[in-house]
Amino acid sequence: MTENITVLPTLTEQIMNFFNNPVWLACIFSWLIAQFIKTGICLIYGKIHSLTSLFENLIWKTGGMPSSHSALVTSLCVTLGFRHGVDSDIFVFSLVFFFVVIRDAFGVRRSTGIQAKKINEIGQELQEKNIITSYKQLKEVMGHTPMEVICGCILGFFVGLAFSLLD
């Protein structure tokens, strides 16, 4: 009598499978491409003045054209839709996540960035008039314009499509 024994992949195999997963790769590449485009635009307009600033733009900076968050969640939706079908629970989950991120990108984050800028202006004016002795500037993290979000979504769609069709 033969036994059916399921052998689980080793940890090394699981890690390799994770890093070769087309969903993961599409998300990472769409984010990286968006960051590279964003950094290129900043270089063209002379907004990068140091090597530190260059690396911050490449890796960490938020805001700007195109939205890397939008690109990432769009490629996530596209690749999951292709792999599991648009009627799957995981696709529906990714679509809801997509809407939350997109809403945050040009709604909430944009509003808080505009508010922080206005508060900084008021704080600076109060300090200049000696009403307050010192004012620490708030970080003005701007969200995205609708065009930046749309361009990020278009980028993410095509990157997700490429990884889905080439898999």
Side-chain angles (χ1 to χ4, degrees):
M1 177 158 99
T2 47
E3 283 185 41
N4 269 346
I5 299 175
T6 305
V7 179
L8 293 174
T10 66
L11 180 60
T12 307
E13 291 171 333
Q14 290 179 33
I15 291 170
M16 291 301 295
N17 289 340
F18 172 78
F19 284 112
N20 289 320
N21 184 304
V23 176
W24 166 256
L25 291 172
C27 290
I28 292 303
F29 273 90
S30 62
W31 178 76
L32 283 172
I33 292 167
Q35 288 299 115
F36 275 101
I37 292 170
K38 194 180 303 191
T39 302
I41 291 170
C42 287
L43 280 169
I44 290 169
Y45 285 98
K47 294 181 180 179
I48 296 178
H49 303 290
S50 67
L51 195 57
T52 304
S53 178
L54 176 72
F55 284 114
E56 280 179 0
N57 271 275
L58 282 172
I59 307 286
W60 193 249
K61 189 175 180 202
T62 59
M65 171 69 88
S67 166
S68 53
H69 291 92
S70 300
L72 187 146
V73 295
T74 303
S75 66
L76 176 67
C77 279
V78 170
T79 53
L80 288 176
F82 267 93
R83 289 176 68 86
H84 300 283
V86 293
D87 61 339
S88 68
D89 291 344
I90 194 70
F91 174 76
V92 171
F93 176 79
S94 71
L95 188 62
V96 170
F97 182 61
F98 166 86
F99 286 125
V100 169
V101 170
I102 297 303
R103 174 70 178 108
D104 180 65
F106 71 90
V108 178
R109 283 181 48 228
R110 186 157 181 80
S111 295
T112 57
I114 291 168
Q115 289 171 357
K117 185 175 183 171
K118 194 52 87 175
I119 291 169
N120 285 339
E121 290 171 6
I122 293 168
Q124 187 68 35
E125 187 176 322
L126 292 173
Q127 189 173 352
E128 289 170 2
K129 292 180 178 181
N130 294 322
I131 296 173
I132 59 174
T133 54
S134 68
Y135 175 74
K136 184 180 178 195
Q137 294 277 314
L138 297 173
K139 186 176 180 184
E140 296 175 17
V141 178
M142 291 295 194
H144 292 284
T145 64
M147 185 54 72
E148 291 167 346
V149 172
I150 290 168
C151 289
C153 289
I154 292 168
L155 172 66
F157 176 82
F158 284 111
V159 171
L161 185 65
F163 274 91
S164 296
L165 296 177
L166 297 175
D167 180 32

